[in-house]
C-alpha cells in the first residue's frame, strides 16, 4: 500500500476552480441572460456616455490581495463597465471603422476561452478550425488553395506580418540574420498618401525607417496616382535604392477609396515588387456579388490583410493575413528551439505550426468565433448586410448633396461619407473647421449619434463609416436632422 510521505499531507492544495459549481453555473446563466438582454435592447440606450467621475474613481482600486468573489466581480462589471461601452454595438455608431459584433459570436468567445487552447500549432481541433477558416477566406478572396495565412489580432498585425514577408523575400541578403543595417541598398516601398497609419508603423517596426515608405499622391477620387507611382519607382532606382513592395488600398480609411488594384498588380509584376493589399475595410465586400467587381485585382496580390472584426462583425480581435507564397511566409518567421522540436506524432505531430507564421508563440482561439459565426450566418448573408451598408452610405450621400446647409467633402464609393455643416449662403465668414469640430463633440456627447472626424483637403469633416448591421435608414435621417439642428445653433452662436 502506498502511503503519502508526511510532508505531502501538510496543508491544503488549492485550485482556482469554483468551490460551488452550481452557484457558478447559475451566475454564468445570469451573465448570458443579462448580456443577451443588453444586446436585444441596445437601441433604447444612448450610443455612448462618458464614464462618470464616480466610476473613474472606483476603477482606481488598489490591487485586490484577497478576492471579492465571482458574483461581486460581476456586479462591479455591471455597474462600472457596462454602462460606459464605446458604443460600436449601437445602431447609430459610425465612428472610425469598428464592427458591431453579433450576439451569437459573443457566445462563441466563451467557448474559446473555456477550451483555452494555445493555437500555436498543436495537433488538435483548434488548429483544424483555423485551417478551415483560412481555406474559406482564400476561396472568398480568390487566393489559391496552396496560399498560406494566419488569423491575427487585426489589420495592423496583418499588415506587419505581410510586410515582414515582403521584406524578407525581397531582401538581397539574410535580413533575419544580419538586420536591415546590412542592406547594400536602401529598401523602399510605396503606398498612397491615404494609406493607413498601421502601414507606416509596420515599416517603422521592420527597421526600414518611415522615410522608406514613399507616400504617393492620389487622384480626385483618393486613389493612388499610378503615373506618380511609376515615376517614384524610377526615381528611386536611379538614385540607387531598392524598391521592393507596393501597398494597394481596398478601401481607404478616410473615404473608402479603392485603388486600381489591377493596374497595381501589373505594375508590381513589371517592376518585380511584392504587391500587398490592405483590405482591412473593403476586402470582405468580396462576399457580395454586387460589390465584388470593385475589388478586381485583389486576388492577384502577393499578400492581403483584412479585418473580420470590422465589416465581418466578429468580436474584436479578429484580423487575417493571406500570403500567396507559403514558403516565403514561413521563411520570414519560422523559429527553431529545442523546447519546440516537432516529433513524429503526439501533440507536435502537425507539419505546419501557426507559431512559425507570425510573431506570436502562444496564440488564442480567435478562429473559433469566425468559424462558428460564418457557419451560422453564411457568407451570402454577410455579403447582403455589407451591401446594405453601401446602399445606406449612398442614401446618406444623396441626402447630404440635396441639403442646402450641408456639404459633402469627398466621393463616397463604399460605406464612408465625409461631409460638414456649412450653413446657408454666407459660409465664408465663419470658421467651419472649428464649428464642425465642436459639432462632432456635441453629437457624440448627445448620445444620439456617433460619427468620427477627419481632415480632407484642409477641411474638417464629419466622417460616417457604416460598418453596422443594426443601422436603419431612419437612423441616418436622425443624424442629418441632428447635424443640421446643432450646426445651425453653433452658427448662430458664432454669428
Ligand atoms: C482599421 C484599419 C487598419 C488596422 O486594422 P486594426 O484591426 O485596427 O489593427 C489597417 N488598414 C485600414 C485601411 C484600416 O481601416
Amino acid at each position: 500500500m502506498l502511503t503519502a510521505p508526511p510532508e505531502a499531507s501538510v496543508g491544503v492544495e488549492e485550485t482556482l476552480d469554483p468551490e460551488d459549481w452550481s452557484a457558478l453555473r447559475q451566475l454564468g446563466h445570469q451573465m448570458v441572460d443579462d448580456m443577451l438582454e443588453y444586446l436585444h435592447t441596445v437601441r433604447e440606450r444612448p450610443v455612448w456616455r462618458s464614464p462618470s467621475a464616480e466610476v473613474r474613481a472606483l476603477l482606481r482600486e488598489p490591487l485586490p490581495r484577497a478576492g471579492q468573489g465571482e458574483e461581486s466581480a460581476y456586479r462591479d462589471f455591471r455597474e462600472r463597465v457596462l454602462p460606459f461601452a464605446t458604443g460600436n454595438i449601437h445602431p447609430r455608431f459610425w465612428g472610425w471603422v469598428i464592427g458591431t459584433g453579433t450576439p451569437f459570436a459573443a457566445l462563441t468567445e466563451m467557448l474559446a476561452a473555456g477550451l483555452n487552447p494555445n493555437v500555436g500549432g498543436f495537433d488538435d481541433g483548434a488548429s483544424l478550425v483555423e485551417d478551415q477558416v483560412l481555406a474559406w477566406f482564400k476561396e472568398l478572396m480568390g487566393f489559391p488553395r496552396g496560399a498560406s495565412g494566419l488569423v491575427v489580432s487585426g489589420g495592423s498585425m496583418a499588415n506587419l506580418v505581410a510586410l515582414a514577408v515582403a521584406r524578407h523575400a525581397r531582401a538581397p541578403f539574410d535580413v533575419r540574420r544580419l538586420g536591415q543595417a546590412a542592406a547594400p541598398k536602401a529598401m523602399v516601398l510605396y503606398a498612397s498618401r491615404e494609406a493607413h497609419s498601421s502601414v507606416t508603423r509596420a515599416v517603422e517596426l521592420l527597421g526600414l525607417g518611415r522615410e522608406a515608405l514613399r507616400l504617393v499622391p492620389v487622384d480626385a477620387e483618393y486613389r493612388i496616382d499610378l503615373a506618380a507611382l511609376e515615376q517614384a519607382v524610377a526615381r528611386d532606382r536611379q538614385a540607387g535604392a531598392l524598391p521592393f513592395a507596393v501597398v494597394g488600398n481596398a478601401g481607404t480609411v478616410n473615404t473608402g477609396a479603392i485603388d486600381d488594384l489591377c493596374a497595381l498588380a501589373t505594375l508590381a509584376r513589371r517592376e518585380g515588387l511584392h504587391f500587398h493589399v490592405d483590405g482591412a475595410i473593403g476586402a470582405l465586400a468580396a462576399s457580395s456579388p454586387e460589390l465584388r467587381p470593385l475589388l478586381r485585382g485583389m486576388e492577384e496580390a502577393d499578400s492581403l490583410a483584412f479585418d473580420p472584426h470590422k465589416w465581418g462583425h466578429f468580436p474584436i480581435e479578429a484580423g487575417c493575413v493571406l500570403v500567396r507564397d507559403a514558403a516565403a511566409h514561413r521563411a520570414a518567421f519560422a523559429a527553431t528551439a529545442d523546447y519546440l522540436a516537432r516529433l513524429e506524432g503526439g501533440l507536435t505531430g502537425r507539419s505546419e505550426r501557426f507559431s512559425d507564421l507570425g510573431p506570436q508563440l502562444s496564440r488564442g482561439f480567435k478562429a473559433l468565433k469566425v468559424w462558428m459565426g460564418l457557419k451560422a450566418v453564411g457568407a451570402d448573408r454577410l455579403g447582403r448586410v455589407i451591401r446594405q451598408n453601401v446602399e445606406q452610405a449612398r442614401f446618406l450621400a444623396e441626402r447630404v448633396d440635396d441639403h442646402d446647409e450641408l456639404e459633402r467633402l469627398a466621393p463616397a464609393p463604399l460605406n464612408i461619407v465625409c461631409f460638414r455643416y456649412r450653413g446657408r449662403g454666407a459660409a465664408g465668414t465663419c470658421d467651419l473647421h472649428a464649428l464642425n469640430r465642436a459639432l462632432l463633440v456635441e453629437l457624440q456627447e448627445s448620445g444620439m449619434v456617433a460619427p468620427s472626424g477627419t481632415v480632407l483637403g484642409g477641411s474638417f469633416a464629419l466622417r460616417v463609416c457604416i460598418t453596422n448591421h443594426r443601422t436603419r435608414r431612419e437612423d441616418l435621417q436622425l443624424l442629418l436632422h441632428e447635424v443640421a439642428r446643432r450646426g445651425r445653433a453653433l452658427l448662430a452662436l458664432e454669428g
Side-chain angles (χ1 to χ4, degrees):
M1 194 184 86
L2 284 173
T3 52
E7 63 272 19
S9 63
V10 179
V12 183
E13 291 176 298
E14 274 200 295
T15 162
L16 298 176
D17 278 336
E19 275 165 37
D20 180 349
W21 281 86
S22 74
L24 184 68
R25 189 184 303 251
Q26 208 172 2
L27 178 63
H29 289 164
Q30 188 65 52
M31 288 162 72
V32 169
D33 273 349
D34 291 349
M35 184 47 72
L36 289 178
E37 183 59 17
Y38 183 85
L39 292 173
H40 189 193
T41 56
V42 64
R43 179 176 280 281
E44 295 161 20
R45 280 183 297 274
V47 180
W48 169 80
R49 58 193 178 110
S50 177
S52 63
E54 189 195 353
V55 150
R56 287 178 200 273
L58 286 170
L59 285 171
R60 272 188 242 113
E61 287 176 312
L63 170 72
R65 289 283 172 186
Q68 66 189 59
E70 289 79 2
E71 257 178 70
S72 160
Y74 177 55
R75 197 176 321 120
D76 286 352
F77 165 80
R78 284 189 60 79
E79 287 167 9
R80 302 175 187 180
V81 183
L82 190 72
F84 306 106
T86 319
N88 53 295
I89 55 177
H90 195 281
R92 289 191 300 275
F93 185 99
W94 307 294
W96 303 276
V97 194
I98 315 186
T100 320
T102 71
F104 178 65
L107 295 174
T108 68
E109 287 275 65
M110 189 271 289
L111 305 182
L115 281 187
N116 196 30
N118 175 349
V119 196
F122 292 110
D123 190 15
D124 58 10
S127 294
L128 296 174
V129 164
E130 185 152 343
D131 287 341
Q132 172 74 95
V133 164
L134 291 167
W136 286 342
F137 280 141
K138 285 180 231 172
E139 180 183 335
L140 185 62
M141 302 298 173
F143 266 57
R145 269 197 221 167
S148 179
L150 195 64
V151 174
V152 294
S153 54
S156 302
M157 184 58 86
N159 280 330
L160 176 62
V161 167
L163 292 178
V165 172
R167 192 265 303 257
H168 183 261
R170 305 291 164 141
F173 61 101
D174 186 347
V175 66
R176 289 188 65 183
R177 189 162 72 88
L178 300 170
Q180 200 59 43
K185 292 172 165 190
M187 294 180 70
V188 295
L189 70 167
Y190 308 83
S192 88
R193 280 187 191 152
E194 294 294 304
H196 192 260
S197 59
S198 62
V199 174
T200 307
R201 187 151 54 191
V203 169
E204 292 170 1
L205 284 172
L206 290 171
L208 291 159
R210 196 161 59 230
E211 287 180 4
L213 179 63
R214 314 298 208 210
L215 294 177
V216 178
V218 291
D219 63 17
E221 314 268 283
Y222 291 89
R223 294 172 308 197
I224 193 166
D225 178 336
L226 291 159
L229 170 61
E230 286 208 74
Q231 285 160 18
V233 173
R235 210 165 37 237
D236 281 328
R237 283 203 205 285
Q238 207 139 46
L242 174 63
F244 78 97
V246 61
V247 180
N249 289 300
T252 58
V253 63
N254 271 331
T255 69
I258 299 171
D259 289 335
D260 184 340
L261 301 175
C262 283
L264 283 179
T266 305
L267 185 147
R269 212 174 300 126
R270 192 173 63 232
E271 296 285 345
L273 307 178
H274 178 107
F275 176 34
H276 173 64
V277 171
D278 180 355
I281 298 176
L284 282 169
S287 52
S288 158
E290 293 83 1
L291 298 177
R292 201 185 169 97
L294 295 174
L295 301 164
R296 210 170 281 136
M298 186 172 79
E299 68 288 348
E300 291 183 55
D302 293 302
S303 55
L304 170 65
F306 58 100
D307 251 344
H309 68 201
K310 286 180 175 169
W311 232 347
H313 302 301
F314 301 101
I316 297 164
E317 301 171 352
C320 189
V321 60
L322 297 179
V323 179
R324 181 173 301 277
D325 182 344
H329 188 184
R330 194 168 190 287
F333 287 101
T336 52
D338 292 338
Y339 48 84
L340 298 177
R342 200 169 77 77
L343 305 178
E344 297 309 315
L347 269 162
T348 57
R350 231 178 106 85
S351 62
E352 188 68 275
R353 281 190 306 226
F354 294 114
S355 59
D356 278 337
L357 301 174
Q360 277 184 277
L361 181 61
S362 299
R363 301 174 65 254
F365 198 3
K366 294 177 172 57
L368 184 69
K369 56 193 165 192
V370 181
W371 183 71
M372 289 182 72
L374 266 176
K375 275 169 118 32
V377 164
D380 291 347
R381 182 160 163 213
L382 184 60
R384 288 200 299 277
V385 171
I386 286 174
R387 180 165 166 237
Q388 175 171 291
N389 284 164
V390 174
E391 282 166 359
Q392 287 166 337
R394 220 161 275 162
F395 168 83
L396 177 63
E398 283 164 12
R399 293 303 177 282
V400 167
D401 292 347
D402 289 345
H403 202 295
D404 61 353
E405 291 164 276
L406 306 178
E407 175 185 20
R408 192 139 65 87
L409 292 174
L414 206 60
N415 60 330
I416 301 173
V417 183
C418 294
F419 66 103
R420 65 177 175 176
Y421 183 81
R422 187 189 48 186
R424 285 194 189 92
T429 56
C430 92
D431 181 354
L432 289 178
H433 204 78
L435 184 149
N436 281 278
R437 288 170 71 97
L439 175 55
L440 177 58
V441 171
E442 219 188 85
L443 290 168
Q444 290 178 355
E445 291 188 347
S446 76
M448 295 179 79
V449 290
S452 60
T454 191
V455 176
L456 292 166
S459 300
F460 187 82
L462 306 174
R463 180 179 161 285
V464 176
C465 173
I466 316 175
T467 37
N468 193 321
H469 61 84
R470 298 196 171 111
T471 297
R472 300 179 196 147
R473 286 188 183 209
E474 54 258 40
D475 294 316
L476 297 166
Q477 271 159 336
L478 179 68
L479 167 75
L480 290 167
H481 179 79
E482 287 301 309
V483 168
R485 185 173 75 83
R486 291 168 190 271
R488 222 170 284 141
L490 284 168
L491 193 60
L493 274 180
E494 275 212 9

